[in-house]
Amino acid sequence: AMALSGVRVLELAGLAPAPLCGMILADFGAQVVRVDRPPQSAAAVDVQARGKRSLALDLKQPQGAAALRRLCGGADVLIEPFRHGVMEKLGLGPEILLQENPKLIYARLTGFGQTGKYAKSAGHDINYLALSGVLSKLGRKNENPYAPINLLADFAGGGVMCAMGIVIALFERARSGRGQVIDASMVKGVAYLSSFLWKSQNSGIWSRPRGENLLDSGAPFYEIYRTSDGKFMAVGALEPQFYNQLIKGLGLDSDELPSQMSFSDWPEMKKKFASIFAQKTQAEWCSIFDSTDACVTPVLSFNDVASHQHNKQRSSFIKNDQGEISPRPAPVLSRTPAVPSCKRDPFIGEHTEEILLEYGFTKQEIAKLYSDKSIAFRNPKANL
């Protein structure tokens, strides 16, 4: 059995962070039901639906909201991704659901959180990143701050932090027998993620303007360089012993160079390193650095990453039934590792009847919900 086998999760359909949270739980064995809005089509926008089943339920219909209340009575976890106040208007707030099921873990995953000036405001990753302070640290010298896709706030500060909160709450519930509400804010999540930045402020690492420090593209030995074939090498030779191996691999003599930590020489050293990296292909640089501790690695594209020898040896990527490649769940547990589903993602409403029956609804109750347009099936004729 996987680590989360037997845990019943209801994930209210949303964008990006909540689906990742649900997928992490499903990958490690939880029974995750994605509660979808009845569809205009059977296709879902959730591309992180691995291992989930779909129940199409209209929460705006009183009967639909009542059905979710009943489902929550038999669930361990509810993942709710709506803005503050939406669930309360539907009569599905945590006060009601935890009164009916005191063991329920009610995870509220939002951008700005359940309280505060922006609690009811719309936003996206770039806004949460900005409000957390982290965005001010990202970017090169003399350029605007730069948001790295939507990985940091949506997924790291949101989906992953929420999954961690759920697992922590499940662990605590094993002792107390009681559920609780999780307020997973992406602003607070990504701020917490940046704890090292806060706690290292007095260490000198961040004493210079953005883009001129050790880890933010200021240093020539912590940088990305273009190769002669238009590819890139990532250099992270921070420690002196690693830096010495970098210098050796580049064919330079350390006695003829300024000291590694001479800030004033960094711009000139960057130009020197760039001109040298531009003289060989990525493969040629790999043959020079792969057997060293110079901390120099190829920047792999999505097309190349799964076939790289290291990733192949660790089976770091998997292929589903449709031939789509994606990362294997992490971290790896020795006794109860994640065994991700290889099946295609569910269609909206594909498992509606199956799930309702599991949660104790009768066929007659399901037929009534369907006639009331509170639920939908992908293929109702095949189900009723």
Side-chain angles (χ1 to χ4, degrees), residues 10-294:
L10 299 172
E11 174 202 317
L12 302 186
L15 298 175
L20 175 66
C21 179
M23 190 182 81
I24 291 170
L25 301 179
D27 281 341
F28 284 89
Q31 298 169 24
V32 179
V33 170
R34 189 184 65 205
V35 181
D36 287 302
R37 296 181 182 88
Q40 306 301 317
S41 70
V45 294
D46 178 10
V47 296
Q48 300 169 105
R50 183 167 63 207
K52 302 176 190 176
R53 292 180 295 165
S54 170
L55 161 67
L57 185 62
D58 188 351
L59 299 182
K60 292 182 179 178
Q61 299 277 355
Q63 303 93 325
L68 184 68
R69 275 179 69 172
R70 188 167 156 189
L71 287 162
C72 286
D76 296 294
V77 178
L78 175 69
I79 302 172
E80 181 260 299
F82 305 136
R83 269 191 266 175
H84 175 78
V86 171
M87 290 292 276
E88 281 78 3
K89 284 180 183 174
L90 295 170
L92 297 168
E95 298 80 9
I96 291 171
L97 297 188
L98 266 81
Q99 190 174 5
E100 295 178 357
N101 178 6
K103 291 188 172 184
L104 182 67
I105 291 158
Y106 193 123
R108 315 197 80 169
L109 177 51
T110 60
F112 295 114
Q114 297 302 310
T115 57
K117 178 179 179 179
Y118 293 156
K120 294 185 178 180
S121 300
H124 282 294
D125 178 284
I126 197 168
N127 308 115
Y128 314 140
L129 205 55
L131 205 64
S132 73
V134 176
L135 186 57
S136 71
K137 295 289 188 184
L138 305 177
R140 292 183 174 274
K141 181 180 178 181
N142 298 327
E143 293 183 11
N144 294 349
Y146 184 79
I149 320 183
N150 65 325
L151 282 174
L152 283 182
D154 275 357
F155 297 113
V160 175
M161 286 289 187
C162 188
M164 183 177 75
I166 289 167
V167 172
I168 291 169
L170 285 168
F171 180 79
E172 191 280 335
R173 192 185 71 174
R175 291 198 302 258
S176 69
R178 297 169 62 198
Q180 57 185 306
V181 180
I182 297 169
D183 179 357
S185 148
M186 290 173 229
V187 174
K188 290 186 81 168
V190 76
Y192 186 38
L193 201 68
S194 73
S195 294
F196 170 76
L197 305 187
W198 287 90
K199 290 178 170 292
S200 63
Q201 283 185 102
N202 298 325
S203 67
I205 297 177
W206 311 107
S207 58
R208 301 169 70 81
R210 176 170 43 79
E212 296 181 29
N213 298 284
L214 192 67
L215 300 174
D216 65 359
S217 78
F221 47 86
Y222 201 85
E223 182 57 285
I224 297 152
Y225 293 101
R226 183 184 288 269
T227 58
S228 65
D229 53 348
K231 297 182 180 181
F232 298 92
M233 298 298 289
V235 176
L238 292 171
E239 292 80 358
Q241 67 272 29
F242 303 154
Y243 181 71
N244 289 336
Q245 293 198 43
L246 167 66
I247 296 303
K248 183 180 174 184
L250 292 175
L252 296 169
D253 185 345
S254 56
D255 293 335
E256 298 173 2
L257 300 173
S259 72
Q260 180 184 357
M261 298 306 292
S262 175
F263 294 117
S264 60
D265 290 301
W266 279 2
E268 206 53 46
M269 289 299 291
K270 267 199 186 191
K271 290 178 186 173
K272 184 183 287 286
F273 288 1
S275 69
I276 296 172
F277 271 107
Q279 293 168 20
K280 288 183 171 66
T281 66
Q282 185 186 72
E284 287 171 326
W285 285 119
C286 287
S287 68
I288 290 170
F289 285 115
D290 271 1
S291 58
T292 75
D293 273 343

Side-chain angles (χ1 to χ4, degrees), residues 314-328:
R314 289 193 44 85
S315 302
S316 297
F317 293 83
I318 54 175
K319 190 180 285 190
N320 69 7
D321 291 348
Q322 283 71 55
E324 298 166 340
I325 296 173
S326 61
R328 185 177 291 279

